[in-house]
Amino acid sequence: MGAGLCKEVPDPRTGMTERERRAIQETWKQFTKSNHEYGVVVFGAMFDRYPEYLNLFPLFRGKSTKELADDPKFRAHGCAVGYQLSSMVDSLGDPELVEALIRKNAIAHLERRGVSPFHFQSLGHAVVEVLKEEEGKVMTPPVIAAWEKLFALMVSITIKVFEEGPPTNEPHGKSAHEKDDTGTSSPSTHAGRSDNPHRERRHHKKRPMASASGTPSPTYRRH
């Protein structure tokens, strides 16, 4: 009976106990401390395990992971992945925040061609494999199970977001900044507006200047 009272109760939103949360945070802290570009390490490991995923990224398509290791754009994307993971891990004590972070990440990937929620499950496999290689002594079966719970949570929330579709407050049609295949934004031009500011100025008619009283000042002509 006493043992039953001491048993930890999983959080209803994350499915993780306090011990599992601490285990995830401690192993991630050790890993990030040992690897300066930890996000790049994880990102590269995913492509080592699933090389076909490179086809989802036009900038990286047709390249090997060895070639990409020194590619600044690849490293930048890897760093972004690492920061996102760190945000989730650091926020495990706040289930609502974790869910919000996962939802935000899922929404950002909604319209990326070819991306599905299960790609994040693959990312989870890559993370666990890297941690087992780098932090083997502390990656015990219970710790591995805790990490698997985190990515199961990530996948389940991402599936819901993909089923819901784009947020209803998103404008329909073309937006002011449209995403291209690389996920970057490109400003759209205003309909009917010239790209040449000098051309616009040429067609602009001068108007009489207003006086202090608010009425237009008379226009004087030279005789």
Side-chain angles (χ1 to χ4, degrees):
M1 183 175 177
L5 290 173
C6 294
K7 187 177 180 180
E8 286 189 284
V9 179
D11 183 271
R13 300 188 72 159
T14 65
M16 285 178 273
T17 64
E18 180 66 18
R19 183 177 300 177
E20 289 172 327
R21 178 185 69 79
R22 288 199 306 268
I24 291 172
Q25 290 177 331
E26 288 170 6
T27 50
W28 187 248
K29 183 179 180 180
Q30 289 182 36
F31 171 66
T32 57
K33 189 176 180 180
S34 304
N35 295 273
H36 177 64
E37 291 191 347
Y38 56 90
V40 182
V41 174
V42 168
F43 200 46
M46 183 178 72
F47 293 120
D48 283 334
R49 189 181 178 103
Y50 308 98
E52 66 275 15
Y53 286 4
L54 284 170
N55 292 324
L56 297 172
F57 299 84
L59 288 174
F60 312 144
R61 198 176 292 157
K63 297 181 180 180
S64 67
T65 50
K66 287 185 178 180
E67 291 178 277
L68 291 169
D70 296 321
D71 187 316
K73 291 182 179 178
F74 181 84
R75 291 171 61 202
H77 200 117
C79 286
V81 170
Y83 297 151
Q84 185 71 19
L85 288 172
S86 287
S87 297
M88 294 177 191
V89 170
D90 292 342
S91 304
L92 283 176
D94 187 341
E96 289 186 5
L97 178 56
V98 173
E99 183 173 339
L101 288 169
I102 294 173
R103 288 187 67 86
K104 182 179 179 182
N105 181 66
I107 290 170
H109 288 83
L110 260 178
E111 297 183 4
R112 300 286 176 86
R113 188 176 300 173
V115 175
S116 80
F118 295 100
H119 286 116
F120 298 99
Q121 187 177 50
S122 300
L123 175 63
H125 293 325
V127 169
V128 171
E129 288 302 314
V130 169
L131 290 174
K132 285 165 67 176
E133 291 174 8
E134 298 280 336
E135 310 294 334
K137 292 182 179 180
V138 295
M139 287 297 287
T140 60
V143 176
I144 293 172
W147 274 99
E148 289 173 347
K149 281 188 179 182
L150 172 58
F151 282 99
L153 175 68
M154 187 177 186
V155 171
S156 66
I157 293 174
T158 303
I159 288 174
K160 289 179 183 177
V161 171
F162 272 64
E163 288 175 346
E164 293 166 2
T168 54
N169 60 346
E170 288 291 323
H172 295 288
K174 291 185 178 180
S175 60
H177 289 78
E178 300 172 328
K179 286 185 177 178
D180 57 22
D181 287 339
T182 64
T184 56
S185 298
S186 56
S188 58
T189 55
H190 191 282
R193 178 172 292 178
S194 169
D195 292 333
N196 189 336
H198 300 291
R199 187 177 299 169
E200 285 190 20
R201 196 177 296 120
R202 194 181 303 152
H203 294 290
H204 182 71
K205 294 182 179 180
K206 288 186 177 181
R207 296 179 181 177
M209 293 179 62
S211 64
S213 63
T215 57
S217 300
T219 303
Y220 294 96
R221 293 183 180 179
R222 184 179 295 175
H223 297 287

